[in-house]
Structure formats: C-alpha cells, structure tokens
Amino acid sequence: MRKFNFCAGPAALPEPVLLQAQQELLDWGGRGCSVMEVSHRSPEFTEVAERAEQDFRDLLSIPAHYKVLFVQGGATGQFSAIPWNLFGGGVKRADYIHTGQWAGKAIKEASRYGEVNVVASSEDRNFSYAPAADAWQESDRSAYFHYTPNETIGGVEFNYVPEVKAPLVADMSSNILSKAIPIEKFGMIYAGAQKNIGPSGIAVVIVREDLLDRAMSDIPRSLNWKIAAEAGSMDNTPPTFAWYLSGLVFQWLKAQGGVEAMYEQSLKKSGLLYEFLDRSDFFSSPVDPASRSRMNVPFVLADEQLDARFLNEAEETGLLNLKGHRSVGGMRASLYNAVPLEAVEALVAFMADFEKRVA
Ligand code: PMP
C-alpha cells in the first residue's frame, strides 16, 4: 500500500505516472524494450523529448523567445553554471537575495567567479521571512539578479516577483509548476526535477535567448546553455528515463487542470495545515505569516523531547518523511503537486490527536 509521503525531495510522484511507467517498463508501446534502452537520438525518444518540452511550455505559457533546456547536475549544477554563463558579457558582478541555505550556496558559488552584492538578507531572523523590496541596494551594473522564490528548508516563499534592472534569475526548484509564472519578468529560471517535475537526475532551465551570448570563454562545455540549446539538450546523452518520467508528470498535470488548478490545491492544502498550526497550543510555525511557503511547511513541537515519538507514530500511521532538515531540526511537511489533499487531512487529524494525547 502506498503511504502519504511528505518528503522534501526526491518527493512523492503521482500514482498514475508510476503505474504507467511500471506498465511500460518491459515493453514500451509494443517495442519490446523500455524507454531506457533506446538511443536518445532515435525517433521514438525524440518524440518523448519534444512532447515533454511542448507540454512544459504549455503548462507555463513560455514564450517562443525563451529556450527550455533539460540538463544534468541538478539545481546545484545550475547555480554553479549561472556565473559561467552570464559573467562573460563584460560585467562580473551579480546581485543576490540571501534567504537561507539554497540562496547561500548559490552566493558562495558565484563569489568564486565575480563580485556578489547581497542586496538583502533575512539572516537576522534565522531566515524566517522573505525580505521586502523597499530596502534594497541594487548594483548600478549587474550581470543578473538572483533569488530563491521558495526556500525548501526554511519554508519561506516570496509572495511577489522582484522588479529589478538586471536580468532576473530564479531558483524555482521547490515551487515550479505550482502556480503561473510571469515568464517575461525573468531572464532565467531553473529547477531540479525531484520535487514538482519528476525523478532526480534532471533539471529544467528556462532562459531568454538574448542571454545565450554572455558565457565566459573558458566555460565547461557541459554547463554551456548555448551549446545545450543548439543541441536540443542532447550535446551528450541526457538522462532519458528521468526526461520520459517528467513528461508523464507534465501530461498528468495537464489532465489535472494545469498550474492554475495546482495553485488552488496548494492554497487549500497548505492553508489547512497553517490554520491548524495557528490554532494549536502545541504545534507552531516558525515562519513569518506573509512568507509562508505553499510547498514546504516547517513546524515545531512545544516540547522537542517529543519529536522522536511524533515521527515514529506518524510513520506507523502511514505519514512518511516529516522530519525537518538536519540543519534546522523540527518537522517539515512538503506538499508538492503530487501530494493529495487527503494526505494533509490525514496529517492534521493525526497531529490533533497527538496533541490531545500528550498535552
Ligand atoms: N535549490 C533548492 C531551492 C533546493 O530545494 C535544492 C534541493 N533540495 C537545491 C537547490 C539543490 O538541488 P540539487 O540537489 O538538484 O542540486
């Protein structure tokens, strides 16, 4: 029996997608082999790849002057690739908002290649909020402006898109496909797949075409967006199974009503849990109410001695992977697209019962 899985990533995948993959594993569409066992350049895989890209473009209404790339190396590969791809246009400076562990790692990486201006940071309150735009000091000249719309560990989500001068770059690993994105406000968007897209091993990049000519001359080939774009993301062998499975997730998303439906669902799911946390005398949310993530909901128990018992009992009840990130402790429920409302209802019922028993 499948259980309710609140893992932050690699995260729950839609059951119909897993069933289809299972069905096609030995004999994919009558070919007598699986999708993993054919050339990435074959007509049948090309069809999978093109359909996945088109469905992804449809889901997010991506305009034609943006390239979509399917790449390896995860989101880490991309926050490493960004300075290589954008510091070659004459400006080796970038603005970053520091909102937690993922923004912090991206800042550290970019600092190896150029000057980083941290325009705002929420470190003063333990990364529990998204900084407001009014106090920023943007650089006069900046190759790009990077932020993390949803910090997976802290559970902090921006409720607005920054209006900035430089090309806006965003790490959407943990909230992509959960709501509509005004793509034209961005220069580049990236996301590791293993939360709202598909299995780990692949990442998706959306990049405005005019930014493909700003790479540093010594950029490693495998990080070069222009080369990837010109090769249809097949300069070398891509992770074909992850690409295929992501494509099935996109089809499932379309059948569910697309990102608008996911947005409504995410408000319902996270709203249910936050309302409970705010009512409870025993559980609480450490995140500023205006910046609470719809995807990752960290929470703490009034008595941390009870953390282990909470996790054990949750698991016995069929509620998996609620332990918070090792760097912050406490609990975290990740409520990505594939996590159904029933999972959150079951979680809240369990928490209410736990509270009654221990309080
Ligand atoms: N950015 C964010 C917001 C993330 O949540 C993660 C992974 N949890 C990463 C970057 C790193 O992703 P990867 O492991 O794919 O490199």
Side-chain angles (χ1 to χ4, degrees):
M1 271 308 289
R2 282 177 65 74
K3 300 179 177 173
F4 291 133
N5 182 2
F6 299 94
C7 191
L13 286 162
E15 199 169 308
V17 165
L18 293 175
L19 283 170
Q20 185 174 342
Q22 181 189 44
Q23 220 169 48
E24 295 180 337
L25 195 64
L26 294 183
D27 182 10
W28 173 43
R31 294 177 186 89
C33 64
S34 75
V35 66
M36 281 180 280
E37 301 164 295
V38 300
S39 165
H40 55 296
R41 303 200 189 280
S42 63
E44 53 266 52
F45 189 77
T46 304
E47 199 184 312
V48 168
E50 286 175 355
R51 166 113 197 246
E53 176 176 339
Q54 191 54 53
D55 285 339
F56 182 72
R57 284 183 169 277
D58 294 346
L59 282 163
L60 289 174
S61 304
I62 300 174
H65 61 291
Y66 284 77
K67 293 285 185 193
V68 170
L69 313 176
F70 290 85
V71 297
Q72 302 190 53
T76 302
Q78 284 312 303
F79 66 65
S80 312
I82 289 160
W84 283 103
N85 279 282
L86 296 177
F87 276 168
V91 183
K92 279 198 176 185
R93 183 188 310 109
D95 290 344
Y96 276 73
I97 306 181
H98 192 5
T99 42
Q101 183 151 324
W102 294 113
K105 281 193 172 173
I107 288 169
K108 203 165 168 199
E109 192 60 20
S111 308
R112 301 175 61 204
Y113 306 102
E115 189 190 321
V116 167
N117 172 32
V118 177
V119 297
S121 166
S122 56
E123 195 167 7
D124 59 338
R125 283 193 273 135
N126 200 23
F127 299 118
S128 62
Y129 67 102
D134 43 15
W136 293 353
Q137 281 293 311
E138 266 184 83
S139 304
D140 287 336
R141 289 185 74 224
S142 176
Y144 60 92
F145 185 111
H146 180 286
Y147 84 118
T148 309
N150 189 74
E151 281 282 356
T152 321
I153 294 172
V156 167
E157 186 173 22
F158 280 74
N159 60 16
Y160 66 97
V161 175
E163 299 283 344
V164 298
K165 289 177 287 195
L168 185 60
V169 169
D171 176 355
M172 293 198 187
S173 293
S174 46
N175 70 350
I176 197 160
L177 294 171
S178 72
K179 64 173 176 181
I181 305 170
I183 300 284
E184 305 220 40
K185 290 193 172 180
F186 293 85
M188 184 267 187
I189 292 167
Y190 64 104
Q194 62 273 18
K195 299 150 198 317
N196 262 345
I197 294 176
S200 60
I202 198 162
V204 178
V205 169
I206 305 167
V207 57
R208 209 173 61 214
E209 267 171 358
D210 63 290
L211 298 176
L212 295 175
D213 284 320
R214 302 188 186 181
M216 297 198 281
S217 57
D218 48 356
I219 180 174
R221 182 182 183 101
S222 60
L223 299 183
N224 191 319
W225 299 331
K226 189 172 189 177
I227 289 178
E230 285 172 354
S233 301
M234 294 201 198
D235 183 53
N236 69 323
T237 316
T240 52
F241 187 74
W243 197 330
Y244 151 85
L245 210 87
S246 302
L248 296 186
V249 172
F250 301 153
Q251 287 168 30
W252 175 82
L253 279 172
K254 279 186 151 179
Q256 302 304 300
V259 294
E260 286 77 16
M262 290 302 113
Y263 180 64
E264 293 303 321
Q265 275 282 99
S266 71
L267 292 178
K268 256 194 218 154
K269 291 186 290 183
S270 59
L272 186 64
L273 185 48
Y274 286 122
E275 276 162 30
F276 173 77
L277 292 170
D278 287 344
R279 270 200 323 269
S280 167
D281 295 323
F282 182 74
F283 296 100
S284 61
S285 158
V287 180
D288 173 44
S291 312
R292 288 175 173 177
S293 168
R294 295 166 300 118
M295 295 288 116
N296 310 99
V297 183
F299 60 91
V300 292
L301 282 59
D303 177 2
E304 69 178 64
Q305 306 279 343
L306 292 171
D307 281 6
R309 179 173 158 197
F310 177 83
L311 286 167
N312 283 338
E313 292 188 11
E315 197 157 331
E316 281 164 15
T317 314
L319 306 168
L320 306 183
N321 297 313
L322 286 163
K323 196 172 172 29
H325 190 269
R326 60 187 186 280
S327 65
V328 293
M331 307 299 151
R332 174 178 47 169
S334 292
L335 313 179
Y336 302 120
N337 290 340
V339 175
L341 180 62
E342 300 82 72
V344 187
E345 288 168 348
L347 173 62
V348 167
F350 166 72
M351 289 168 72
D353 180 60
F354 187 87
E355 178 170 352
K356 221 185 281 165
R357 284 185 287 116
V358 301

